[in-house]
Amino acid sequence: MQLKIMPKKKHFSAGRVPLILFLCQMIRALDVPLDSKLLGDLVQPPTITQQSPKDYIIDPRENIVIQCEAKGKPPPSFSWTRNGTHFDIDKDPLVTMKPGSGTLVINIMSEGKAETYEGVYQCTARNERGAAISNNIVVRPSRSPLWTKERLEPITLRNGQSLVLPCRPPIGLPPAIIFWMDNSFQRLPQSERVSQGLNGDLYFSNVLPEDTREDYICYARFNHTQTIQQKQPISLKVISAKPSKERPPTFLTPEGNESLKEELRGNVLSLECIAEGLPTPIIYWIKEDGTLPVNRTFYQNFKKTLQITQVSEADSGNYQCIAKNTLGAVHHTISVTVKAAPYWISAPQNLVLSPGENGTLICRANGNPKPRIGWLTNGVPVEIAPDDPSRKIDGDTIIFSNVQERSSAVYQCNASNEYGYLLANAFVNVLAEPPRILTSANILYQVIANRPALLDCAFFGSPLPTIEWFKGTKGSALHEDIYVLHDNGTLEIPVAQKDSTGTYTCVARNKLGMAKNEVHLEIKDPTRIIKQPEYAVVQRGSKVSFECKVKHDNTLIPTIMWLKDNGELPNDERFSVDKDHLVVTDVSDDDGGVYTCAANTTLDSVSASAVLRVVAPTPTPAPVYDVPNPPFDLELTNQLDKSVQLTWTPGDDNNSPITKFIIEYEDAMHEAGIWHHQAEVSGTQTTAQLTLSPYVNYSFRVMAENSIGRSVPSEASEQYLTKAAEPDQNPMTVEGLGTEPDNLVITWKPLNGFESNGPGLQYKVSWRQKDGDDEWTSVVVANVSKYIVSGTPTFVPYLIKVQALNDVGFAPEPAEVMGHSGEDLPMVAPGNVRVNVVNSTLAEVHWDPVPLKSVRGHLQGYRIYYWKAQSSSKRNRRHIEKKILTFQGNKTHGMLPGLQPYSHYVLNVRVVNGKGEGPASTDRGFHTPEGVPSAPSSLKIVNPTLDSLTLEWDPPSHPNGVLTEYTLRYQPINSTHELGPLVDLKIPANKTRWTLNHLNFSTRYKFYFYAQTSVGSGSQITEEAITTVDEAGILPPDVGAGKVRAVNPRISNLTAAAAETYANISWEYEGPEHVKFYVEYGVAGSKEEWRKEIVNDSRSFFGLKGLMPGTAYKVRVGAEGDSGFVSSEDVFETGPAMASRQVDIATQGWFIGLMCAVALLILILLIVCFIRRNKGGKYPVKEKEDAHADPEIQPMKEDDGTFGEYSDAEDHKPLKKGSRTPSDRTVKKEDSDDSLVDYGEGVNGQFNEDGSFIGQYSGKKEKEPAEGNESSEAPSPVNAMNSFV
């Protein structure tokens, strides 16, 4: 690829639709170079190069010079008009024209008057190619008239009155500059109280006695004539009597509440408000509905004048000045309108065309009001100029087509409105010229490495030539990714490297010929200060040396200069410069400062500075140990395509040897500002051979490390851009997965910029069906990460590969990856669904698999929907929400756990793929057999008498079959908590009430109650009750109470079982029912108040939480209400805090030995207990065990033969004297937990079931003891299933 300059196409507004086809063929006009070699033989229309200003004010005491200079080939001739008519200079002996110029000189110093030559002048420069004209130059002599004679009466005022001293200067040209002075030509002092207005008047907000004087004089200075005129002095006398009364502000200028101001765009907008008042007012400025422009707003004259520079139409609006003092404020609004004389948007440019070409002249201006555009040709309005068939005028545009040599002319564009005009000349020069190179041949350019290099190739030709650049004698092409070619032919190398050195050839071509030129480029090493002067603190009278070691290109000779505080060194023999050192001897306090070493070559310059601080002599300090100073003088050598050698100079190790160097790199092209680890070398090396990647703009830096730490990074090395190469790897994580049934989405992880190895990173994506003979289909995509193949068959395997490529070439052949096109929903439902009921809570489902082709996707498994239709007993017809179990893989059976016994279920099976579910199989129903019932829903004891108790209950909430009977077992409990004989009673299933007679009076009984089906006994519920005592000498029982009120209620047997941070408090209570207990506790031995916790219901135990480990606590229990009483105190101590350890003590030898010893002691204790029990003896532990004995301690396996052992958690609690039941004497059993949570993911969870788990599950862990006397139940089959792991 060669770099070329091609003509730029012009763009036109949509409003010129009829001209579009014509304008599309236009090319850029040529610029005419101002080159003497070219102008020597190139015909060119006239161009005005210099002229006098439009408003030309002259000094009447000097000769009048009206400038008009122009260039052209052949040289133009000049003529003038004055006031619109030809000005014949030959007829006026005072007027001459400079030779070779159009400049007029009017000699009025010898004779004549300037007023005679006032008028409007215009110059015309003409040759055979056309005529250019100047602006209309209005010539006026300056005027500085005198003041008219007037008699000024003295002014007398009282202290505090306001005053305006008028100036009213004579009207001069240009306007005079006004200022007030006294007879001694001293300016009068001004302040917020006294100031000069824009009109020249002197304003006093209030006068003071010190304002009295007789020489207030207004002066007018006329700069053009360097004259000053003065007004008659004004006398002012201020009577220092009682001052005037204080008054709020009023405006002296402007008058009224509103005023108008008009200003032209680009000028300075000056707004003024001067107020009088006593005290002196302060002026403030605001802009209504806006803010004052920043950086363009200034205040003058003590904020009485607001100035806005470079005013534009956006500054129009209402400005408000506010005058304020302590007595009030006054406002004045100035409405500002910004108008605009014409100004250029696009001035017409010269055109150089070749015969037959097309072009345009565009003249666009703006203003307020909108300016009018007029065209002239060779100084004549185009309407009356000779007709030119190649020219067409369209408003502000002249369109040229198929121009010929006779089309050459100078066109003038005139844009004008009421505030001014603009005039621009632009020629159309029709030439047929072969290319010319205007830059001198064999120029040698010398550039510092890593800086831009600009190689000039100024050219000219008509038609416009194209430019190509070549390097070397072989004519190797230059690539646009490294070089920049400007429109003027200049070749730019943004980052010149050593390999940029060579000969470059510029070639210019058009249809008439070709021209070329050679230039030469040399790249020089930059000048660097590799050893900079360092900050120094020296003692007075000692010697200091600054080192400045400079490294430079061998072909450049540097000049080293030392400066002090940016000035020359003192002329003192104590300062000496020797090669790389500046030495100062006998240092004094004046020698302190900044010393700078500056190194200059013809191409670059560098400098480095250090501070010298002079101190009094001090003892020698101890050595300082610190991290190393950073390395310096990094240099790249042996620069190859994929490697480079880096060398550096170590910095000071600061008294700790350097152990290693860490090298980092920055990729300025892809990740500028981010540094990556490159390599590490030992602290004795100063050179490293680094492996590089292609197409990376490397910079390196080095850090040194010692035992103290790591240094800051060194300065970055020079940049080194490695050559581009084809990618050496392909994208990773290539996948093919369809998102729709008819597509294949191919994704991959793109390469990063560092991995691209070159510009133009793209990817070649290829695919074909795996099972077929199709050829690979390939597309090349941009640097993206996804490509979608449409129109694929549903769920077909594809072979996929993604290959990286760039402008250099392709990466290695990529590996093939298998993917699939999009899935669709399965088409076929599973068949031959069969159900095998295993037991009352478990069923096994079998089905036939569907054909794999009908799955139309990845087979994820089978999903069973099942629900309970109604129970076989028809007591519960409530519809249950459907439950779902999913079995992964190609399963043909699965287990349904947690079923309700004695129920009717319905299920269906569906196949599942990545898209979703297929159709459902035919619904299949099945029945579960009977099971054991749940515990009765409630049990309460009512109507206690001396020898009878009546029991009432509610049937089980889950009978799980047909109830056959109830079993009631009960036994008495004596005062020592010993259990009496157990009585077993069968009760018909249709009963819900039963009365027990012939009981002992005033005796506590414990009852065990459960229901039975044909399968076996269900869970039991327990309760306690007391028969009433002998009625002699005691109070009658409460109505409806289950027990009789004790005469003296009391709380006894308060015990505490403590752990590390909590304690279980229990007690015994004798007395009336419906008592609310509370527990109070505090730290033993402290004076803090008791902390109180309320006990829910009428429980006789409570758990204290949040206790401090290893702390002794006091505790007591009390009752609220009228019968309030408190137990005796008890003291307990929490366990010590256990430190967390990170070892498994179960594997420690000491722990194993301790456990063996404990087991041996327990075995011995059990043997002793067994012997004593056989002998009938009792001991405290035995007494408590007897009190807690459960008549159903034997496993229920004998009853149902299915579920193994279980025990009632309630039976393990002591049956204590005075134990309370709930106030309604009802014990409720919560519903069983018929959930599938324990199978993984709840109802919709995945369940990998293969039917091999039967008999391998166990019951859930026993729950925490229920509060109060609520019963617990043995693990039901449902609970056992739900705890399966």
Side-chain angles (χ1 to χ4, degrees):
M1 181 183 296
Q2 298 171 342
L3 284 178
K4 297 184 179 181
I5 297 181
M6 297 302 293
K8 291 184 178 178
K9 293 185 178 180
K10 290 288 185 178
H11 298 277
F12 299 90
S13 64
R16 311 276 171 82
V17 175
L19 304 175
I20 288 178
L21 294 177
F22 172 77
L23 297 178
C24 287
Q25 303 176 11
M26 294 187 178
I27 64 172
R28 190 190 70 173
L30 284 173
D31 294 327
V32 180
L34 302 178
D35 186 273
S36 58
K37 295 185 298 183
L38 182 63
L39 295 178
D41 58 354
L42 180 65
V43 178
Q44 178 176 327
T47 301
I48 301 291
T49 58
Q50 190 174 0
Q51 57 184 315
S52 293
K54 294 179 182 178
D55 190 7
Y56 187 26
I57 299 175
I58 61 174
D59 189 340
R61 298 168 300 179
E62 298 178 354
N63 289 336
I64 302 173
V65 178
I66 309 176
Q67 288 186 329
C68 179
E69 304 290 340
K71 67 176 183 178
K73 188 65 179 182
S77 60
F78 297 90
S79 62
W80 285 87
T81 62
R82 178 185 174 194
N83 298 327
T85 60
H86 178 68
F87 182 38
D88 192 349
I89 62 176
D90 295 331
K91 293 183 178 180
D92 191 333
L94 300 181
V95 181
T96 60
M97 185 182 296
K98 289 185 178 181
S101 166
T103 300
L104 296 180
V105 178
I106 304 175
N107 186 4
I108 61 173
M109 296 184 65
S110 57
E111 59 178 310
K113 295 183 178 181
E115 290 79 2
T116 307
Y117 293 95
E118 281 191 67
V120 180
Y121 293 79
Q122 189 173 43
C123 170
T124 301
R126 185 186 309 274
N127 69 8
E128 63 186 38
R129 288 274 167 161
I133 61 177
S134 69
N135 292 322
N136 286 331
I137 303 171
V138 179
V139 176
R140 294 184 294 170
S142 64
R143 298 181 180 88
S144 52
L146 300 175
W147 253 286
T148 57
K149 294 291 183 179
E150 56 182 337
R151 180 177 179 83
L152 301 177
E153 297 294 333
I155 300 173
T156 302
L157 295 175
R158 278 192 307 111
N159 184 9
Q161 288 185 289
S162 63
L163 173 65
V164 179
L165 296 181
C167 179
R168 292 194 283 274
I171 299 175
L173 187 68
I177 298 174
I178 307 300
F179 49 92
W180 287 79
M181 295 193 298
D182 58 15
N183 278 330
S184 301
F185 294 99
Q186 299 297 316
R187 284 187 179 270
L188 298 177
Q190 298 189 21
S191 63
E192 291 180 342
R193 185 179 62 86
V194 182
S195 60
Q196 176 184 316
L198 294 176
N199 62 354
D201 294 347
L202 190 64
Y203 293 86
F204 294 77
S205 295
N206 50 78
V207 295
L208 298 176
E210 54 263 32
D211 295 329
T212 299
R213 64 189 313 144
E214 297 180 350
D215 53 353
Y216 284 95
I217 304 174
C218 180
Y219 289 86
R221 183 175 67 201
F222 298 92
N223 284 343
H224 213 77
T225 58
Q226 296 297 311
T227 59
I228 295 178
Q229 307 288 356
Q230 80 174 61
K231 185 182 177 74
Q232 291 294 322
I234 301 176
S235 175
L236 170 63
K237 181 178 181 181
V238 178
I239 301 174
S240 57
K242 182 179 180 180
S244 299
K245 184 179 180 181
E246 291 187 348
R247 59 189 181 276
T250 58
F251 284 112
L252 297 174
T253 183
E255 298 178 351
N257 296 327
E258 296 180 352
S259 58
L260 302 177
K261 176 71 174 180
E262 186 176 282
E263 191 56 78
L264 290 182
R265 181 180 187 271
N267 290 351
V268 177
L269 172 66
S270 295
L271 305 178
E272 181 182 58
C273 281
I274 301 177
E276 64 88 17
L278 189 66
T280 302
I282 303 299
I283 304 296
Y284 303 92
W285 292 91
I286 61 173
K287 182 181 181 182
E288 298 178 2
D289 301 327
T291 57
L292 296 174
V294 181
N295 301 328
R296 293 192 295 116
T297 301
F298 303 93
Y299 297 99
Q300 305 290 340
N301 198 18
F302 307 98
K303 293 196 71 173
K304 299 175 186 179
T305 303
L306 169 69
Q307 289 187 336
I308 300 177
T309 61
Q310 290 296 319
V311 69
S312 66
E313 289 86 342
D315 296 318
S316 297
N318 292 331
Y319 293 79
Q320 192 175 95
C321 62
I322 305 166
K324 183 183 296 185
N325 68 7
T326 56
L327 298 182
V330 64
H331 303 71
H332 183 90
T333 301
I334 305 175
S335 180
V336 174
T337 302
V338 178
K339 298 292 186 178
Y343 56 91
W344 289 120
I345 295 176
S346 175
Q349 302 296 319
N350 294 331
L351 282 178
V352 177
L353 302 174
S354 61
E357 286 188 327
N358 308 324
T360 59
L361 287 179
I362 300 176
C363 176
R364 288 180 183 156
N366 202 357
N368 186 11
K370 185 75 174 177
R372 301 175 300 277
I373 302 296
W375 288 98
L376 299 89
T377 176
N378 296 326
V380 178
V382 72
E383 294 80 8
I384 60 176
D387 188 35
D388 184 353
S390 66
R391 177 183 67 213
K392 181 177 181 180
I393 299 176
D394 183 16
D396 58 7
T397 303
I398 300 181
I399 304 167
F400 299 94
S401 58
N402 192 25
V403 296
Q404 302 302 320
E405 188 172 351
R406 66 178 178 275
S407 302
S408 297
V410 181
Y411 288 84
Q412 291 81 34
C413 172
N414 185 2
S416 61
N417 65 11
E418 60 190 271
Y419 298 102
Y421 72 93
L422 294 173
L423 179 70
N425 290 277
F427 62 69
V428 177
N429 195 10
V430 181
L431 297 173
E433 293 288 332
R436 306 185 188 189
I437 304 295
L438 308 180
T439 301
S440 300
N442 295 312
I443 293 179
L444 174 62
Y445 294 92
Q446 294 181 330
V447 177
I448 297 296
N450 297 319
R451 295 186 182 179
L454 297 173
L455 309 183
D456 294 330
C457 182
F459 64 93
F460 180 78
S462 181
L464 180 68
T466 60
I467 299 298
E468 299 173 329
W469 279 93
F470 299 88
K471 180 184 178 184
T473 57
K474 297 182 179 179
S476 58
L478 303 183
H479 295 283
E480 295 182 19
D481 56 342
I482 300 177
Y483 302 92
V484 178
L485 189 56
H486 296 275
D487 289 346
N488 62 359
T490 298
L491 175 67
E492 178 182 353
I493 307 174
V495 182
Q497 302 286 345
K498 283 288 188 179
D499 58 0
S500 302
T501 299
T503 299
Y504 292 79
T505 303
C506 168
V507 178
R509 291 187 177 90
N510 68 9
K511 63 182 181 181
L512 300 179
M514 181 268 288
K516 65 180 181 179
N517 186 40
E518 288 186 353
V519 295
H520 309 283
L521 176 63
E522 290 182 356
I523 306 301
K524 305 295 184 180
D525 290 328
T527 305
R528 301 196 306 273
I529 298 178
I530 60 176
K531 183 63 175 177
Q532 299 184 0
E534 297 180 351
Y535 173 80
V537 179
V538 299
Q539 299 174 8
R540 193 180 305 116
S542 61
K543 181 176 73 172
V544 66
S545 175
F546 291 107
E547 183 179 5
C548 180
K549 184 177 292 186
V550 177
K551 186 173 183 178
H552 58 89
D553 193 277
N554 296 331
T555 62
L556 301 177
I557 301 176
T559 301
I560 309 298
M561 178 180 296
W562 285 92
L563 304 173
K564 180 180 185 294
D565 297 330
N566 293 325
E568 294 183 358
L569 291 177
N571 187 14
D572 192 328
E573 60 183 10
R574 295 182 300 109
F575 291 79
S576 61
V577 178
D578 180 18
K579 195 177 180 182
D580 299 331
H581 292 80
L582 167 65
V583 179
V584 184
T585 59
D586 191 18
V587 174
S588 65
D589 291 337
D590 293 338
D591 296 333
V594 179
Y595 289 83
T596 302
C597 166
N600 300 285
T601 68
T602 56
L603 297 180
D604 63 347
S605 63
V606 291
S607 65
S609 299
V611 175
L612 172 63
R613 188 161 68 94
V614 182
V615 297
T618 57
T620 304
V624 177
Y625 298 91
D626 200 353
V627 299
N629 291 346
F632 58 92
D633 191 20
L634 275 65
E635 185 175 6
L636 299 178
T637 57
N638 297 338
Q639 298 175 350
L640 302 177
D641 289 349
K642 293 190 177 182
S643 68
V644 70
Q645 180 172 287
L646 174 66
T647 59
W648 62 90
T649 301
D652 194 335
D653 63 6
N654 291 326
N655 302 309
S656 179
I658 297 175
T659 57
K660 66 178 177 180
F661 291 100
I662 299 94
I663 303 170
E664 295 181 335
Y665 74 90
E666 175 199 30
D667 180 4
M669 183 181 301
H670 303 109
E671 293 180 315
I674 300 177
W675 291 89
H676 303 275
H677 180 80
Q678 174 77 23
E680 292 184 5
V681 297
S682 69
T684 60
Q685 289 186 232
T686 58
T687 301
Q689 190 72 23
L690 305 178
T691 301
L692 308 180
S693 296
Y695 197 59
V696 177
N697 197 5
Y698 281 99
S699 292
F700 299 97
R701 69 183 186 185
V702 183
M703 293 174 286
E705 187 174 296
N706 62 11
S707 59
I708 307 299
R710 183 176 294 183
S711 73
V712 298
S714 68
E715 294 292 330
S717 72
E718 62 179 304
Q719 292 184 336
Y720 177 48
L721 178 63
T722 55
K723 292 184 178 180
E726 64 274 4
D728 50 21
Q729 60 178 311
N730 286 303
M732 305 294 289
T733 321
V734 178
E735 294 181 349
L737 181 67
T739 58
E740 299 294 337
D742 61 347
N743 76 3
L744 172 65
V745 180
I746 302 173
T747 60
W748 60 90
K749 180 181 179 182
L751 302 181
N752 58 38
F754 187 82
E755 298 167 337
S756 65
N757 286 3
L761 178 62
Q762 294 178 301
Y763 299 99
K764 179 183 178 183
V765 184
S766 305
W767 68 92
R768 69 177 179 86
Q769 290 191 23
K770 180 176 180 295
D771 302 324
D773 298 330
D774 295 346
E775 295 293 330
W776 288 93
T777 302
S778 300
V779 295
V780 175
V781 299
N783 188 11
V784 295
S785 62
K786 180 172 69 174
Y787 182 77
I788 301 177
V789 181
S790 302
T792 63
T794 301
F795 196 65
V796 172
Y798 277 85
L799 292 179
I800 302 163
K801 54 185 180 179
V802 180
Q803 186 178 24
L805 67 148
N806 58 21
D807 291 347
V808 178
F810 286 83
E813 184 67 21
E816 297 178 2
V817 176
M818 191 174 81
H820 284 82
S821 56
E823 301 181 60
D824 205 346
L825 294 176
M827 301 172 59
V828 179
N832 193 21
V833 178
R834 307 174 302 281
V835 181
N836 176 29
V837 178
V838 178
N839 55 37
S840 60
T841 62
L842 182 67
E844 185 177 12
V845 183
H846 291 263
W847 61 86
D848 291 344
V850 301
L852 290 179
K853 287 188 177 180
S854 69
V855 177
R856 299 200 295 181
H858 293 285
L859 175 63
Q860 294 189 355
Y862 289 85
R863 186 168 294 161
I864 299 178
Y865 285 76
Y866 64 101
W867 63 96
K868 181 181 175 183
Q870 65 181 23
S871 66
S872 298
S873 60
K874 298 185 180 181
R875 295 180 183 175
N876 186 0
R877 299 178 181 271
R878 181 167 53 93
H879 182 70
I880 303 299
E881 183 181 354
K882 291 183 180 181
K883 298 181 181 180
I884 303 172
L885 279 180
T886 300
F887 301 91
Q888 293 181 343
N890 195 15
K891 298 285 186 181
T892 59
H893 66 281
M895 306 298 289
L896 299 183
L899 302 178
Q900 184 79 31
Y902 203 58
S903 301
H904 177 65
Y905 281 89
V906 179
L907 62 79
N908 58 50
V909 185
R910 313 176 191 201
V911 66
V912 183
N913 66 8
K915 190 72 172 179
E917 300 175 350
S921 67
T922 305
D923 288 352
R924 180 73 62 187
F926 64 93
H927 292 270
T928 54
E930 283 189 283
V932 295
S934 63
S937 299
S938 66
L939 174 64
K940 61 184 177 179
I941 293 89
V942 297
N943 300 330
T945 65
L946 289 174
D947 62 350
S948 68
L949 293 171
T950 300
L951 284 70
E952 292 182 353
W953 64 87
D954 290 325
S957 58
H958 298 288
N960 295 337
V962 179
L963 296 181
T964 58
E965 62 183 0
Y966 292 100
T967 299
L968 174 64
R969 295 179 179 180
Y970 64 94
Q971 58 189 149
I973 308 173
N974 63 18
S975 59
T976 60
H977 302 290
E978 294 179 342
L979 296 175
L982 185 65
V983 179
D984 196 335
L985 180 65
K986 301 296 184 181
I987 301 175
N990 59 351
K991 298 292 186 180
T992 59
R993 180 185 177 94
W994 195 265
T995 301
L996 296 175
N997 297 310
H998 310 297
L999 302 177
N1000 298 329
F1001 68 88
S1002 187
T1003 302
R1004 179 183 296 276
Y1005 284 89
K1006 184 170 185 180
F1007 298 93
Y1008 312 91
F1009 191 64
Y1010 54 87
Q1012 288 182 292
T1013 64
S1014 60
V1015 176
S1017 301
S1019 303
Q1020 68 180 10
I1021 186 171
T1022 64
E1023 181 59 287
E1024 295 182 19
I1026 304 174
T1027 57
T1028 59
V1029 298
D1030 192 346
E1031 297 179 359
I1034 64 172
L1035 295 175
D1038 291 342
V1039 177
K1043 296 176 187 156
V1044 177
R1045 182 190 305 271
V1047 177
N1048 296 313
R1050 66 191 181 93
I1051 296 175
S1052 60
N1053 292 341
L1054 177 64
T1055 59
E1060 182 180 344
T1061 59
Y1062 65 90
N1064 287 328
I1065 312 300
S1066 61
W1067 61 90
E1068 294 183 2
Y1069 166 72
E1070 292 183 3
E1073 297 182 359
H1074 309 295
V1075 175
K1076 292 292 185 180
F1077 296 105
Y1078 62 85
V1079 176
E1080 291 183 319
Y1081 68 100
V1083 178
S1086 69
K1087 295 182 180 180
E1088 67 178 10
E1089 294 184 359
W1090 292 84
R1091 284 174 276 180
K1092 187 176 182 180
E1093 300 284 350
I1094 303 299
V1095 180
N1096 293 331
D1097 299 326
S1098 300
R1099 297 184 298 182
S1100 58
F1101 61 91
F1102 187 78
L1104 295 177
K1105 299 179 180 179
L1107 303 181
M1108 296 291 294
T1111 306
Y1113 285 90
K1114 57 185 178 181
V1115 65
R1116 65 187 182 188
V1117 179
E1120 295 183 331
D1122 297 337
S1123 60
F1125 49 90
V1126 180
S1127 69
S1128 59
E1129 293 184 14
D1130 189 18
V1131 177
F1132 66 91
E1133 185 173 351
T1134 55
M1138 300 299 292
S1140 175
R1141 301 187 61 183
Q1142 300 300 319
V1143 297
D1144 186 0
I1145 64 173
T1147 62
Q1148 304 300 305
W1150 62 268
F1151 180 76
I1152 297 172
L1154 178 62
M1155 290 298 101
C1156 291
V1158 172
L1160 181 59
L1161 289 175
I1162 293 175
L1163 178 60
I1164 295 173
L1165 184 61
L1166 290 176
I1167 294 173
V1168 174
C1169 292
F1170 181 78
I1171 295 173
R1172 291 198 60 184
R1173 183 172 183 179
N1174 288 342
K1175 292 182 179 182
K1178 290 189 176 181
Y1179 52 95
V1181 176
K1182 178 64 170 64
E1183 291 177 0
K1184 289 187 178 280
E1185 288 179 347
D1186 291 343
H1188 293 67
D1190 191 331
E1192 291 297 342
I1193 200 68
Q1194 298 298 323
M1196 293 189 66
K1197 188 172 182 180
E1198 298 175 358
D1199 296 329
D1200 58 18
T1202 304
F1203 297 103
E1205 297 183 359
Y1206 81 97
S1207 62
D1208 191 339
E1210 182 69 25
D1211 296 340
H1212 290 279
K1213 296 195 296 184
L1215 299 176
K1216 296 183 178 180
K1217 187 176 181 179
S1219 176
R1220 303 283 292 173
T1221 62
S1223 59
D1224 60 358
R1225 301 185 58 78
T1226 303
V1227 179
K1228 294 185 178 181
K1229 175 68 180 71
E1230 295 183 357
D1231 293 341
S1232 63
D1233 211 0
D1234 191 9
S1235 169
L1236 297 177
V1237 174
D1238 295 325
Y1239 285 94
E1241 300 180 6
V1243 173
N1244 294 313
Q1246 301 296 319
F1247 182 69
N1248 298 326
E1249 179 57 66
D1250 59 2
S1252 63
F1253 78 105
I1254 302 174
Q1256 298 178 11
Y1257 53 82
S1258 61
K1260 290 184 178 179
K1261 290 183 178 181
E1262 292 187 23
K1263 296 181 179 179
E1264 294 293 332
E1267 295 182 355
N1269 288 324
E1270 292 180 1
S1271 66
S1272 61
E1273 63 178 276
S1276 70
V1278 173
N1279 288 334
M1281 290 298 297
N1282 286 340
S1283 66
F1284 170 66
V1285 178

